[in-house]
Amino acid sequence: MTTFNDLQLDPKVLQAVTETGYETPTPIQAEAIPHALQGRDVLGIAQTGTGKTASFTLPMITMLSKGRARARMPRSLVLAPTRELAAQVAENFETYAKYSKLSMALLIGGVSFKDQDKLIDRGVDVLIATPGRLLDHFERGKLMLNGVQIMVVDEADRMLDMGFIPDIERIFKLTPFTRQTLFFSATMAPEITRITQEFLHNPVRVEVARQATTSETIEQGVCMVTPSRKDRGPKEKRDTLRALIEAEGDTLTNAIVFCNRKRDVDIVAKSLKKHGLDAAPIHGDLDQSLRTRILTSFRDGELKLLIASDVAARGLDIPSVSHVFNFDVPIHSEDYVHRIGRTGRAGREGKAITLAMPFEEKYLAAIEDLVKKPIPRIDNPRSGKAAEQPARAAETPDAAGEKPKRERRSRNRKPRTQDKVPAETPIEAPVAEKAPEAKSAEPVKRERPQRQPRGRGGRRDNGPRVVGMGDHMPLFMTRDLRALQEAANAADEKRDAEKAAKAAEKAAVAPETEESTEEVPAKKPRRRRVKKTETVEAIEVLADEAVSVVIEEVQPEAEAEEKPAKKPRKRRVKKVEEPEAPVEGEAAEEPVKKPRKRRVVKKKDTEEAPAAEQEKPAED
Ligand code: AMP
């Protein structure tokens, strides 16, 4: 077995390492350190918790122990994605270089440029920085990178996630081509591979198996949270989290709660505080001084619960964290390993509990694939054994118990999104016939049309929405009104023809009534009135499946009885009836002139009225 003594480290470094209590190098240290000391580029594929920080700091200190730094020209450069991680690397340097006379500067955001400038001006052996702040210094002309002999990129995959890759490329180009590069990443995404191919020279690839990072000393569990209602998921998750924390009792000395989103970090922290728990959030949007204060109080054991995002907590080395809670199942399975690696460090025992909603089970499956073992489902302290059921239900969707409702809901959700268009198109089909079928076959489709109208008016405007009338929709509404109108018009025309024939007969009997015959059109209002009555009646009659025959035969009789005594009404009827046809509404005013003619005619009518009146009953 390799020992630290075998690694040819500087004796001062060895002394510092011995004082930390490390007995043997970790696999990545044992493999990477010898190559690094030979001046080779190293591509380390390892995650946090593997001892990778020491795998580059120990050889760096050894190599930099010879030589001196020049003003504004650091001899080595370490890039880290976050301020916390950069600060942690700086702590490692302080620990391992305590017997080596090396100068060091930490360039991170949230700290005054002035103090950092002073350090750089004096010349530093090791410059530890986040990419953004480093480039800020460079652009201000306070820093030169052409003296960099060793460059380290730590957590490259996280740099990629945070959009730092262009900055990293730029920094690479600002450093000498002859530099030595030590490059670490937990995963090798295509973009990371491209960078290593471009900027690393014949690197030694050192890989630490993933499963080794899931410590056996960590007890893991998944607590299913199946919300009682879709919109209550987050709240019920928070309730469950509290219940889980309380259930751990005194075994929980401190814990990190991971959330997938920054927004949730704040919400969960506030919620826990509101319920009397000692919690504080940490994420990238918080002021640096606040982040540092919160982190320090957590490290010092003053703060019990740290609610964190992945980025903020990535790589944090807090030696004794008793519990890790995943408020959300991490979407990237590697993050699960990182998160739970915050507990159970250095052989200690730890517990990691993941809260999962049914929709997150696919992420759980990916994690179980990665760590190559199933994560046991544990009881939900809020609902007892029921909490276990959703996990089983994922395999057997028909399982009985509390779930049917929930299962049905989630099953409905998919077709709604997938079949958006098909679900709506049938609505345009004859509703009265489709709706009853939909009730039994596709309840979701039935719901949709009822939700669509946004106002009362909307329903009236759109024909198919008469579905809102339910079972009481009058039959006539299923008929084509144009057909009814045409039937009524046909009846009109027929009657016109009959009247004209009668008028002709009259004219033949009494030639002096010619003018009144010409006035027949003045009788149109009566016909129209009949038409109106017919239309209404036709609608009713048609509803009973009896059509225009009735209109023609019955109506004239009824009208005829009124006609003789009510001649003057003709004019009124004409005016009133015109609006029946809305398009002709304006034209309806013009016929008002006609009565003038009638007045002229009336004189004759009046003279002839007795005769006419005598005749009409005869017609009937
Ligand atoms: P890192 O992967 O660099 O974040 O290191 C993870 C943890 O392992 C840190 O707490 C280190 O102090 C610790 N560590 C590093 N090297 C060793 C070692 N050889 N033996 C025991 N612990 C170590």
Side-chain angles (χ1 to χ4, degrees):
M1 185 193 279
T2 312
T3 65
F4 278 108
N5 287 327
D6 301 332
L7 295 177
Q8 297 182 330
L9 291 165
D10 185 274
K12 290 173 185 164
V13 176
L14 269 180
Q15 190 185 343
V17 169
T18 311
E19 284 177 18
T20 56
Y22 304 160
E23 290 165 3
T24 49
T26 62
I28 192 149
Q29 290 164 0
E31 280 198 60
I33 290 172
H35 292 296
L37 286 173
Q38 285 167 16
R40 295 279 306 268
D41 280 3
V42 173
L43 171 57
I45 302 165
Q47 290 157 353
T48 189
T50 55
K52 68 178 165 56
T53 315
S55 75
F56 62 81
T57 49
L58 301 184
M60 277 175 83
I61 298 166
T62 300
M63 290 187 283
L64 293 168
S65 58
K66 292 167 200 155
R68 271 190 76 190
R70 291 160 63 188
R72 283 187 267 167
M73 290 181 71
R75 296 168 69 205
S76 68
L77 174 64
V78 179
L79 294 173
T82 65
R83 299 165 184 182
E84 283 77 15
L85 205 50
Q88 200 168 285
V89 172
E91 278 174 28
N92 272 250
F93 266 105
E94 277 170 5
T95 306
Y96 304 134
K98 63 180 176 186
Y99 301 116
S100 312
K101 285 182 184 167
L102 289 180
S103 57
M104 186 186 73
L106 177 64
L107 301 190
I108 54 173
V111 179
S112 108
F113 276 94
K114 211 177 162 188
D115 296 342
Q116 294 177 349
D117 283 345
K118 271 188 205 165
L119 284 171
I120 298 169
D121 279 347
R122 265 186 247 147
V124 290
D125 295 303
V126 182
L127 184 62
I128 302 158
T130 48
R133 180 52 73 104
L134 181 86
L135 288 171
D136 284 349
H137 277 278
F138 179 81
E139 278 159 12
R140 290 165 74 245
K142 301 281 179 183
L143 178 67
M144 286 181 283
L145 295 174
N146 50 355
V148 171
Q149 297 160 23
I150 307 168
M151 177 166 158
V152 176
V153 178
D154 196 13
E155 307 261 357
D157 52 338
R158 188 57 60 177
M159 303 262 199
L160 176 67
D161 289 349
M162 296 172 75
F164 287 156
I165 294 300
D167 286 351
I168 299 295
E169 285 189 73
R170 192 175 161 209
I171 294 166
F172 263 126
K173 287 173 185 166
L174 294 171
T175 58
F177 180 77
T178 52
R179 69 177 184 265
Q180 180 185 8
T181 307
L182 310 175
F183 192 100
F184 294 85
S185 182
T187 54
M188 289 300 290
E191 189 68 352
I192 303 281
T193 306
R194 184 185 67 77
I195 296 270
T196 57
Q197 285 168 350
E198 188 174 349
F199 296 106
L200 270 64
H201 309 302
N202 189 26
V204 179
R205 189 181 168 107
V206 178
E207 192 165 355
V208 174
R210 279 175 176 171
Q211 55 267 40
T213 57
T214 311
S215 169
E216 291 300 322
T217 60
I218 304 170
E219 182 188 338
Q220 300 173 52
V222 171
C223 176
M224 294 304 301
V225 181
T226 307
S228 55
R229 239 171 47 190
K230 189 184 166 190
D231 59 333
R232 292 183 67 83
K235 191 199 174 296
E236 290 181 15
K237 248 186 171 184
R238 290 194 294 274
D239 294 343
T240 306
L241 173 66
R242 264 198 330 277
L244 285 166
I245 290 171
E246 280 156 16
E248 291 301 306
D250 291 341
T251 61
L252 190 151
T253 52
N254 61 351
I256 303 179
V257 179
F258 285 95
C259 301
N260 286 359
R261 289 164 291 272
K262 282 185 236 175
R263 183 173 49 96
D264 288 336
V265 168
D266 280 329
I267 294 171
V268 171
K270 269 183 203 158
S271 162
L272 291 172
K273 266 197 274 185
K274 196 179 130 197
H275 286 86
L277 293 162
D278 183 20
I282 183 167
H283 58 72
D285 288 351
L286 294 179
D287 172 69
Q288 181 58 34
S289 61
L290 181 61
R291 277 161 70 168
T292 309
R293 232 183 305 139
I294 291 172
L295 209 54
T296 307
S297 68
F298 186 68
R299 270 211 183 99
D300 295 347
E302 289 159 16
L303 176 71
K304 194 170 180 180
L305 302 169
L306 181 70
I307 322 305
S309 64
D310 283 293
V311 170
R314 182 73 184 260
L316 291 183
D317 182 27
I318 300 162
S320 54
V321 176
S322 73
H323 285 68
V324 163
F325 292 95
N326 290 315
F327 184 74
D328 306 293
V329 181
I331 292 162
H332 303 294
S333 21
E334 293 85 12
D335 284 339
Y336 178 80
V337 180
H338 291 144
R339 288 180 181 187
I340 73 162
R342 307 297 94 217
T343 183
R345 286 168 94 82
R348 291 185 185 89
E349 291 202 341
K351 194 164 182 179
I353 301 176
T354 301
L355 284 82
M357 294 217 276
F359 81 89
E360 295 177 292
E361 288 198 85
K362 54 183 178 289
Y363 304 128
L364 275 178
I367 290 166
E368 287 173 331
D369 275 357
L370 176 67
V371 300
K372 294 190 172 63
K373 61 179 180 186
I375 306 170
R377 288 353 183 217
I378 61 168
D379 286 351
N380 184 324
R382 290 181 70 237
S383 54
K385 285 182 183 174
E388 277 186 295
Q389 288 174 348
R392 283 183 228 129
E395 293 152 28
T396 54
D398 296 332
E402 291 180 6
K403 285 160 291 157
K405 267 187 190 172
R406 294 162 187 169
E407 288 299 319
R408 225 177 287 134
R409 267 190 194 175
S410 61
R411 228 179 286 135
N412 283 345
R413 246 177 256 139
K414 283 178 188 170
R416 271 185 206 174
T417 50
Q418 285 165 359
D419 306 337
K420 240 180 190 172
V421 177
E424 288 180 7
T425 41
I427 295 165
E428 301 304 318
V431 178
E433 289 161 28
K434 285 249 168 180
E437 286 170 28
K439 262 183 196 175
S440 57
E442 294 187 38
V444 176
K445 285 181 185 173
R446 277 275 299 162
E447 284 167 22
R448 282 182 157 267
Q450 289 174 354
R451 284 176 194 169
Q452 279 181 344
R454 288 175 189 171
R456 288 171 198 163
R459 255 177 219 179
R460 278 187 224 122
D461 292 342
N462 195 330
R465 293 193 178 127
V466 297
V467 72
M469 298 179 78
D471 297 330
H472 303 293
M473 183 173 69
L475 267 177
F476 72 81
M477 291 195 76
T478 64
R479 300 283 176 189
D480 185 348
L481 284 176
R482 252 178 275 159
L484 293 174
Q485 188 67 55
E486 278 165 19
N489 288 345
D492 258 359
E493 281 167 21
K494 195 176 178 184
R495 203 169 304 107
D496 281 353
E498 285 171 5
K499 301 260 171 173
K502 283 173 193 169
E505 278 175 29
K506 281 179 204 170
V509 173
E512 62 276 19
T513 59
E514 211 173 326
E515 285 182 59
S516 67
T517 308
E518 286 173 4
E519 283 298 306
V520 168
K523 292 175 188 173
K524 272 185 183 173
R526 205 194 324 165
R527 282 173 207 139
R528 286 181 197 141
R529 189 174 167 212
V530 169
K531 175 179 150 187
K532 181 182 178 184
T533 315
E534 281 172 356
T535 307
V536 173
E537 287 197 14
I539 286 166
E540 292 163 1
V541 170
L542 282 171
D544 294 323
E545 303 299 324
V547 196
S548 59
V549 180
V550 182
I551 300 171
E552 289 173 83
E553 291 178 4
V554 177
Q555 282 302 72
E557 284 179 16
E559 280 296 314
E561 286 174 10
E562 292 174 11
K563 282 172 199 169
K566 294 180 181 175
K567 267 189 181 176
R569 281 186 200 166
K570 289 173 193 168
R571 280 173 236 147
R572 273 182 240 135
V573 168
K574 185 177 180 182
K575 283 182 195 170
V576 172
E577 285 179 354
E578 288 291 351
E580 270 185 20
V583 183
E584 295 167 14
E586 289 178 14
E589 289 176 13
E590 288 170 15
V592 173
K593 292 171 188 173
K594 281 185 180 175
R596 284 180 201 161
K597 287 180 190 172
R598 281 178 211 146
R599 273 177 215 147
V600 176
V601 174
K602 267 182 192 173
K603 288 174 189 173
K604 292 176 185 175
D605 277 348
T606 320
E607 291 166 13
E608 294 162 12
E613 282 175 8
Q614 280 168 7
E615 282 171 17
K616 276 177 187 169
E619 284 173 25
D620 296 330

